[in-house]
Amino acid sequence: MRRKRCQIFLVIAIVINLLALFYAVRQQQSLNGLPNGRSLDGDAGKGKPNYERRHIDKKARRLSLSQRVTVVFREYEDFDNLIPKSVESILRTFSRLNILIVADSQPYPPLKLPTESRETVQLVTLAAEPDQPPSHSNPERFINTEYVLFLPDGVILTPYVLEKMIDKFESINFIDNKIRLIAVKIVNRNSDELQHSCFSLKVNLQKWMTQSDYIMTSNICDSVSGSHAVLIRSSDLHNLSYPYTRPISQSLYLQTSLRKWKIFLMSDCNLDSLGNLYNDAHVQWKHQNREEERKVSLYSAFGIKKVINPDGHIGWYGCSKETVRCFGTVINSMPEYLYRNRWTPPCCIRNLRETVKHVFEILDNAGVRYWLEGGSLLGAARNGDIIPWDYDVDIGIYRDDFRKCHQLKNVRNGVPFTDAEGFVWEKATEGDFYRVQYSNINHVHVDVYPFYSKNGIMTKDTWMKSHRQDTEFPEHFLQPLTRIEFAGLQASAPNHVKEFLEFKFGSGVIENPQYPDPKILVPRN
């Protein structure tokens, strides 16, 4: 009996050991990814399981990426592009990836897209068509994925780089949620590619300007140069005011900088291009012209007039002698831009400075006694320049010195006179004073008011009701005249400047800046 019990226990132990061994083998096979207990040995499964696993994983990975990302082509030329080849290349790798081609209007010549792309590729034109609903020109309706990837024309997209961009995005967001874009470089093996650089970018809409500088020690940027792809969350993209305005990179970065969003420029991977574009000299010239036109249009839409580049070069995108000024008729001394929390466009300030310099040189050379008046003297007293929201310059002169300046003497009869430098001298239609305009087209100007002494009080024949500082004053403020820094010059000014300004405007006027009509609007920083 005892012997029987031992045999039973032995059998049970063997069974338990066999079960444990079987379970261990299954666990190991599961860890190795071998389905259904398939062995590594034997002819039937030799080399096949690992291949199948890799193949299944690859397909699953690509399908997952296709469900998370929409590729958008926005930066291309209709007259010379590689869009069809790019689409074909992407679909060979990602058969189900959504691709959106966004155009301003119907491309001509038409894009010859692969026939198999009809299910996943959409062409959207932003130009509204009268026979179509508003949604027809809205790319957002075709984007149902978490991410949008902006690809330049002619790029080869690989699962490795796309997956790495998403991984970087999601890992870095735990550290800094201000990083809202991931950029990866495009490398053209057949040409000398423009060096990719990381920049800081400051956008000051109040001053109508941007300023950028190189970032040498970090991959976290406000903007990126060189050909590159950009990954952004769809929700972030569609919270921008102009998500598809070209040039797309500059447009995005202007808007994201205003929101304090950052870009991470990846340095451990890049994408390749399919080949060169714009090889023909005429096509290249056409492309460069289009790019410049789009840049001018972008800055116009965003209200950018001055662009300070990293090398210190200034790009001007506002008015000049050949164009009208950046604002219309001023009503109640309050230019329209003040109501948008903007100050005088910097190009207008620049043009005013040029006009001031020209007028002062002529008056100084002619021996005319003149002085800064009103808001212009106030700007000189505050910071040695034109008030940031002022739109003209006012000066007074002794009426007795009028005959010394032939430019002023020539326009007393009301006929305008254009001097050799293109500045226009004329008698104002609003009263007995004179105006020097930047050009025949651009009417940024200096107003010249003739004063005369009457019993020791300086007076004139025309008073501006909208100018609260336009009042008579004792002549002793002009005896003698002094000099004060103004608009990069040493300008003639009354003596005891602070006392003179407080006589005109009231106490504390230098220390407390105000708009011309503070009851309507006050300055905001």
Side-chain angles (χ1 to χ4, degrees):
M1 189 70 179
R2 188 177 297 166
R3 190 171 169 188
K4 234 178 183 182
R5 274 190 207 152
C6 288
Q7 288 173 340
I8 290 169
F9 283 134
L10 183 59
V11 169
I12 291 171
I14 291 170
V15 170
I16 290 172
N17 283 330
L18 286 172
L19 287 172
L21 181 61
F22 178 77
Y23 180 78
V25 171
R26 287 298 298 269
Q27 282 290 97
Q28 189 61 42
Q29 289 174 338
S30 176
L31 289 172
N32 289 335
L34 302 176
N36 302 322
R38 187 176 292 162
S39 171
L40 286 170
D41 301 322
D43 293 338
K46 191 173 183 179
K48 190 175 179 182
N50 274 335
Y51 170 78
E52 285 184 354
R53 174 177 174 268
R54 287 196 301 271
H55 183 66
I56 290 168
D57 284 356
K58 188 184 293 184
K59 284 187 69 175
R61 194 162 69 250
R62 291 180 183 179
L63 181 60
S64 173
L65 291 172
S66 297
Q67 291 169 342
R68 302 187 70 188
V69 179
T70 296
V71 166
V72 174
F73 285 103
R74 181 68 179 108
E75 209 61 61
Y76 64 93
E77 302 288 5
D78 52 5
F79 54 82
D80 186 18
N81 63 74
L82 294 172
I83 294 295
K85 287 185 177 181
S86 295
V87 170
E88 185 179 10
S89 168
I90 290 171
L91 292 180
R92 277 200 301 266
T93 308
F94 306 90
S95 59
R96 303 301 301 169
L97 188 68
N98 290 324
I99 300 174
L100 196 58
I101 303 166
V102 181
D104 293 313
S105 57
Q106 196 68 30
Y108 180 80
L111 296 172
K112 296 179 181 179
L113 299 173
T115 53
E116 65 271 18
S117 69
R118 291 173 184 170
E119 290 184 14
T120 58
V121 179
Q122 296 288 342
L123 172 64
V124 181
T125 57
L126 298 178
E129 297 180 20
D131 60 338
Q132 298 292 340
S135 62
H136 180 76
S137 56
N138 181 12
E140 188 174 349
R141 69 189 177 110
F142 295 105
I143 297 175
N144 299 306
T145 54
E146 183 181 358
Y147 296 101
V148 169
L149 177 67
F150 282 99
L151 278 185
D153 187 7
V155 172
I156 301 170
L157 181 62
T158 64
Y160 169 75
V161 174
L162 182 54
E163 193 169 24
K164 199 157 186 178
M165 291 179 81
I166 293 174
D167 287 346
K168 176 62 73 174
F169 206 140
E170 293 177 346
S171 64
I172 210 167
N173 259 226
F174 286 110
I175 303 168
D176 188 352
N177 63 6
K178 288 186 177 180
I179 295 176
R180 302 290 189 95
L181 303 95
I182 299 289
V184 64
K185 305 169 188 176
I186 311 299
V187 177
N188 189 337
R189 310 291 181 186
N190 301 319
S191 67
D192 295 329
E193 183 63 41
L194 175 69
Q195 184 179 1
H196 297 80
S197 296
C198 200
F199 297 95
S200 65
L201 176 63
K202 295 178 182 177
V203 183
N204 190 327
L205 293 181
Q206 189 176 60
K207 295 183 178 180
W208 311 70
M209 63 176 286
T210 71
Q211 183 169 6
S212 56
D213 205 352
Y214 293 107
I215 296 176
M216 308 302 293
T217 58
S218 174
N219 280 27
I220 299 175
C221 326
D222 295 316
S223 70
V224 176
S225 68
S227 182
H228 60 282
V230 178
L231 185 74
I232 183 172
R233 282 198 175 91
S234 304
S235 56
D236 284 343
L237 176 67
H238 294 132
N239 274 325
L240 300 178
S241 304
Y242 300 89
Y244 299 101
T245 299
R246 298 178 70 183
I248 194 69
S249 294
Q250 287 172 287
S251 170
L252 286 177
Y253 300 153
L254 286 172
Q255 296 175 83
T256 55
S257 292
L258 285 167
R259 290 160 174 80
K260 310 299 182 188
W261 296 355
K262 297 291 183 179
I263 310 150
F264 186 87
L265 176 61
M266 297 185 71
S267 56
D268 56 349
C269 64
N270 54 59
L271 292 171
D272 290 332
S273 62
L274 286 163
N276 294 329
L277 284 162
Y278 322 125
N279 293 318
D280 178 83
H282 175 73
V283 171
Q284 190 175 46
W285 170 84
K286 191 174 179 180
H287 165 65
Q288 289 170 348
N289 277 0
R290 291 273 184 94
E291 275 198 322
E292 185 60 30
E293 288 169 6
R294 285 189 285 263
K295 187 163 63 172
V296 170
S297 177
L298 171 70
Y299 288 142
S300 175
F302 285 19
I304 302 297
K305 309 290 185 186
K306 182 179 181 182
V307 176
I308 304 177
N309 295 296
D311 60 1
H313 172 76
I314 296 176
W316 293 98
Y317 295 90
C319 54
S320 65
K321 273 189 181 288
E322 292 73 38
T323 65
V324 296
R325 70 183 185 185
C326 294
F327 56 95
T329 302
V330 177
I331 299 172
N332 296 327
S333 302
M334 294 283 285
E336 56 86 16
Y337 48 78
L338 292 183
Y339 297 96
R340 294 187 282 141
N341 191 33
R342 295 203 176 206
W343 291 347
T344 308
C347 52
C348 295
I349 295 290
R350 177 197 60 179
N351 299 342
L352 261 179
R353 288 192 187 111
E354 287 185 27
T355 309
V356 164
K357 181 180 179 182
H358 182 69
V359 171
F360 286 3
E361 282 180 354
I362 287 174
L363 296 181
D364 281 330
N365 290 337
V368 173
R369 292 169 293 174
Y370 72 92
W371 60 94
L372 288 172
E373 266 288 341
S376 301
L377 181 61
L378 194 52
R382 281 182 185 150
N383 57 12
D385 206 348
I386 299 165
I387 291 176
W389 51 82
D390 212 350
Y391 54 90
D392 64 4
V393 169
D394 295 330
I395 64 172
I397 66 168
Y398 271 93
R399 191 173 67 177
D400 292 346
D401 290 352
F402 211 82
R403 55 184 175 77
K404 295 180 180 179
C405 176
H406 77 271
Q407 287 90 343
L408 290 173
K409 190 167 61 175
N410 286 344
V411 297
R412 292 192 74 173
N413 59 3
V415 178
F417 163 73
T418 302
D419 64 26
E421 285 76 22
F423 296 89
V424 179
W425 300 68
E426 63 181 14
K427 191 174 189 301
T429 57
E430 302 98 311
D432 186 27
F433 65 100
Y434 300 85
R435 183 164 285 156
V436 185
Q437 302 196 111
Y438 187 52
S439 74
N440 269 311
I441 300 172
N442 190 320
H443 294 171
V444 166
H445 58 265
V446 172
D447 282 335
V448 182
Y449 294 96
F451 283 81
Y452 55 92
S453 179
K454 188 176 182 180
N455 300 321
I457 300 296
M458 296 302 292
T459 187
K460 58 189 176 79
D461 293 334
T462 296
W463 301 98
M464 311 301 289
K465 292 181 181 179
S466 59
H467 296 179
R468 62 192 177 104
Q469 78 279 7
D470 199 19
T471 183
E472 296 176 334
F473 60 90
E475 187 178 10
H476 68 73
F477 282 114
L478 306 180
Q479 296 177 342
L481 289 166
T482 60
R483 290 278 169 174
I484 190 170
E485 184 179 350
F486 181 69
L489 307 167
Q490 287 297 309
S492 181
N495 58 69
H496 298 91
V497 169
K498 182 175 182 180
E499 185 182 338
F500 179 82
L501 286 170
E502 291 192 341
F503 179 88
K504 290 246 180 179
F505 289 96
S507 179
V509 64
I510 296 175
E511 298 82 6
N512 301 295
Q514 289 185 335
Y515 283 158
D517 192 340
K519 294 177 183 177
I520 297 176
L521 207 60
V522 295
R524 285 187 292 153
N525 290 326

